[in-house]
Each structure stands twice: as structure tokens, then as C-alpha cells.
Amino acid sequence: AAFGIVSYDWSNAKEQWAATKPMDCEERLLKQARMTKAKNEKSHVFVYRNVVKALPWFKSVREKLNDPAYSGWFLHFQSKNKN
């Protein structure tokens, strides 16, 4: 890696991680970041995570969304379609 700062975000390789069940976006991003860091220890590598929305394709977020103990952490919206 020839760069000082490297950032990966959720859209990287989306076609691949979105096809897995459960989705493994977080694991893939961490692997990419570790591989980049291994190539150049001096580079600063990070994974961008949206802090506004709880994105369920991150395993650590999905676990919280599915755990009733964390229900109060999130805003719940009613569907506009009441079918």
C-alpha cells in the first residue's frame, strides 16, 4: 500500500457479501483492512461505519438489532403501508 490513509466502506464488494446468508460485510471489511495493514504497517487503515443508521449487514449491529435487551437503543418506524 503506497498510501498513508486507507478506508474501506460497506459498499466494497457488495455483490459478494450481500449474497451470503447471513451477510458478512463486517468480516470481509476487517479482513481487507488487516491485509492492507500487513502490506504496510505505517499506513493508517480504517473501516467506515455509518453512525446514524443501524445497518444489519454488520454482524455486531445485527446482533444488537435482534436482541430485545437493546430495543431502546433504536428508533422504531412504522411502515407507511399498513397491509
Side-chain angles (χ1 to χ4, degrees), residues 1-4 34-45:
F3 303 99
R34 287 182 182 124
M35 289 169 52
T36 301
K37 189 70 172 177
K39 286 283 190 185
N40 182 355
E41 283 290 323
K42 294 181 181 180
S43 64
H44 298 281
V45 183

Side-chain angles (χ1 to χ4, degrees), residues 11 13 18-21 23 32 41 56 62 64 67 69 73 76:
S11 64
T20 62
K21 303 294 182 229
M23 291 182 279
Q32 287 177 305
E41 283 290 323
R62 186 173 54 250
K64 303 294 185 285
D67 186 341
W73 286 24
H76 299 269

Side-chain angles (χ1 to χ4, degrees), residues 39-78:
K39 286 283 190 185
N40 182 355
E41 283 290 323
K42 294 181 181 180
S43 64
H44 298 281
V45 183
F46 68 95
V47 173
Y48 171 78
R49 296 178 54 130
N50 189 318
V51 296
V52 176
K53 298 188 293 185
L55 303 172
W57 42 81
F58 291 120
K59 180 182 178 184
S60 59
V61 175
R62 186 173 54 250
E63 289 171 346
K64 303 294 185 285
L65 288 170
N66 292 331
D67 186 341
Y70 293 94
S71 178
W73 286 24
F74 305 102
L75 297 175
H76 299 269
F77 296 94
Q78 291 182 352

